[in-house]
Amino acid sequence: MTSRSTPGTPDAPLHGFSTRAIHAGQEPDALTGAVVPPIYQVSTYKQDGVGGLRGGYEYSRSANPTRAALEECLAALEGGSRGFAFASGLAAEDTLLRAVTVPGAHAVVPDDAYGGTYRLFAKVAEPWGLANTPTDLGDLDAVRAAIRPGDTSVVWAETPTNPLLTIADVAALADIAHEAGALLVVDNTFATPYLQSPLALGADVVVHSTTKYAGGHSDVVGGALVTTTAPPAEFEDLDERIAFHQNAMGAVAGPFDAWLVLRGLKTLAVRMERHCDNAERVVELLASHPRVSAVLYPGLESHAGHEVAARQMRRFGGMVSFRLRGGVEEALAACKRAELFTLGESLGGVESLIEHPGRMTHASTAGSVLEVPDDLVRLSVGIEDAEDLVADLQHALS
Ligand SMILES: Cc1ncc(COP(=O)(O)O)c(C=O)c1O
């Protein structure tokens, strides 16, 4: 099956999402017919004479068949040119930044994003020489004003954001970035390719923490990049640059981790439907709860980004955040009282998780423009029975 084509383009295979998730990059094994790609737990490959590589494989940092299967599947799901799999989401982000920027360049970054992404920009990339301007991506004039003509090489978006669930208009940001000769990068971790297709909306690179919904079972840490089939002229060698840096920096996904993510992707569509169903039930409870002062979920008509989200997302996802009238003490108490919602970092697994971003996932943003409110609780709504989840939250808020 030709899986690299973008659905809707003239050479498209026109296979649906789940067919691509289950088959792209995953032809039955040529040797044995195994219907699942084997885990090629191997570092090096026999050469048939010097330079006589079998299938292009020489050393597993450069390429590994299990990782290649995952990369092809990711590209097919995002409708992209190439996929690249990494050891973590942050490894993917770091590799991308080095591939598309140089010291002295500038990036526009969200003023609301995963704390680790901001830490990478502020504490690693900035000392290396990449300046950044945290910006409200919902305010397109602010984005235009933040661009430094000639220097800005990246506009970085996350939508919906972690943990405030704000929405960025991908198509509008793509226009602004391209006018400035910059790339638009979209972190699609929360939405997943099932709910949102940033490349089709004009983005140039999609970033994933595959640790989350792509893997889906809280048993692997991984990251990915997928590139557009039509990069802007300034970046026409985008695929080659990333491939070079992936190998030169070496933060690749190992074969077993790649295999776990590939297995997770097969059920992404059915999991996401259930995550969305359950999140809607949870939002219904929270929206009418007297102890809750605000529910942050892009599916709510009252959400500031609802209109854009409804345009660019198929559904609104499994992440829900809310604020408590009783402030930080009540937020911490709710996290402690929840039982089915396990208190823990991360998200996107089949099991429901609850956390306090200010003290946990986003502690690194304290004192910065990205600091999150301390009365905020974040839920990763899993795929358990909705009634049980609602009952657990009722108890947690009692
Ligand atoms: C939206 C988002 N992007 C990137 C990352 C970083 O991914 P990883 O933890 O796999 O390095 C995370 C981690 O929580 C995230 O939530």
Side-chain angles (χ1 to χ4, degrees):
M1 135 179 208
T2 325
S3 53
R4 289 238 169 117
S5 335
T6 309
T9 58
D11 61 342
L14 294 179
H15 283 118
F17 185 90
S18 284
T19 306
R20 282 177 279 145
I22 292 166
H23 294 287
Q26 301 166 81
E27 288 295 329
D29 180 50
L31 190 62
T32 64
V35 295
V36 171
I39 304 168
Y40 282 89
Q41 195 69 41
V42 62
S43 60
T44 192
Y45 306 81
K46 174 179 164 51
Q47 301 191 11
D48 298 321
V50 174
L53 307 183
R54 299 187 191 176
Y57 294 104
E58 59 181 329
Y59 183 60
S60 278
R61 171 164 39 73
S62 312
N64 171 281
T66 315
R67 193 176 92 220
L70 170 61
E71 291 175 333
E72 191 169 339
C73 186
L74 286 164
L77 295 183
E78 289 286 3
S81 164
R82 279 189 67 176
F84 301 89
F86 294 87
S88 71
L90 285 175
E93 295 181 15
D94 184 30
T95 305
L96 175 63
L97 288 182
R98 311 253 194 159
V100 300
T101 71
V102 288
H106 170 255
V108 177
V109 301
D111 68 355
D112 165 26
Y114 169 56
T117 295
Y118 180 66
R119 182 177 55 201
L120 179 70
F121 274 101
K123 301 271 169 65
V124 180
E126 198 174 308
W128 174 72
L130 178 67
N132 70 79
T133 308
T135 307
D136 174 1
L137 299 188
D139 178 349
L140 297 178
D141 288 333
V143 177
R144 279 186 205 97
I147 299 259
R148 296 186 193 164
D151 286 341
T152 302
S153 40
V154 167
V155 175
W156 191 283
E158 192 182 297
T159 184
T161 56
N162 181 2
L164 296 175
L165 283 306
T166 59
I167 298 294
D169 184 334
V170 176
L173 289 176
D175 287 344
I176 296 174
H178 295 158
E179 239 167 71
L183 286 178
L184 176 65
V185 177
V186 175
D187 185 331
N188 205 25
T189 298
F190 268 35
T192 81
Y194 181 66
L195 297 179
Q196 179 170 271
S197 305
L199 300 179
L201 294 164
D204 303 296
V205 184
V206 163
V207 171
H208 280 283
S209 168
T210 54
T211 314
K212 311 296 171 2
Y213 289 104
H217 296 75
S218 306
D219 54 11
V220 63
V221 171
L225 301 174
V226 183
T227 53
T228 175
T229 50
E234 297 85 345
F235 294 93
E236 62 179 1
D237 57 347
L238 184 62
D239 285 351
E240 291 71 30
R241 285 201 214 185
I242 295 174
F244 173 81
H245 282 79
Q246 183 191 37
N247 182 46
M249 293 174 66
V252 294
F256 184 47
D257 288 355
W259 186 87
L260 282 171
V261 175
L262 195 53
R263 185 173 68 161
L265 287 175
K266 289 175 194 285
T267 54
L268 184 63
V270 287
R271 283 188 287 109
M272 290 316 293
E273 289 291 350
R274 176 73 169 226
H275 282 297
C276 294
D277 289 345
N278 284 358
E280 285 170 12
R281 291 284 300 278
V282 161
V283 165
E284 217 175 274
L285 167 78
L286 295 174
S288 59
H289 201 286
R291 296 214 162 159
V292 174
S293 60
V295 183
L296 313 180
Y297 187 66
L300 285 170
E301 278 177 24
S302 56
H303 187 285
H306 176 70
E307 214 179 289
V308 175
R311 217 183 318 125
Q312 68 187 19
M313 296 179 75
R314 292 174 191 96
R315 292 185 74 185
F316 302 102
M319 297 302 298
V320 180
S321 294
F322 61 99
R323 300 179 69 172
L324 283 147
R325 289 191 202 287
V328 61
E329 292 312 324
E330 203 158 305
L332 294 173
C335 290
K336 193 161 177 220
R337 273 195 298 260
E339 288 170 10
L340 257 185
F341 277 86
T342 303
L343 179 60
E345 305 206 355
S346 200
L347 59 107
V350 292
E351 57 287 295
S352 294
L353 298 176
I354 188 167
E355 69 125 0
H356 184 267
R359 300 256 175 111
M360 295 170 65
T361 48
H362 289 66
S364 66
T365 63
S368 79
V369 285
L370 274 82
E371 185 167 329
V372 294
D374 64 5
D375 58 1
L376 185 77
V377 172
R378 189 191 75 182
L379 302 175
S380 171
V381 182
I383 65 169
E384 300 95 333
D385 292 291
E387 303 70 47
D388 296 331
L389 297 180
V390 167
D392 192 45
L393 283 178
Q394 265 161 343
H395 167 70
L397 293 170
S398 61

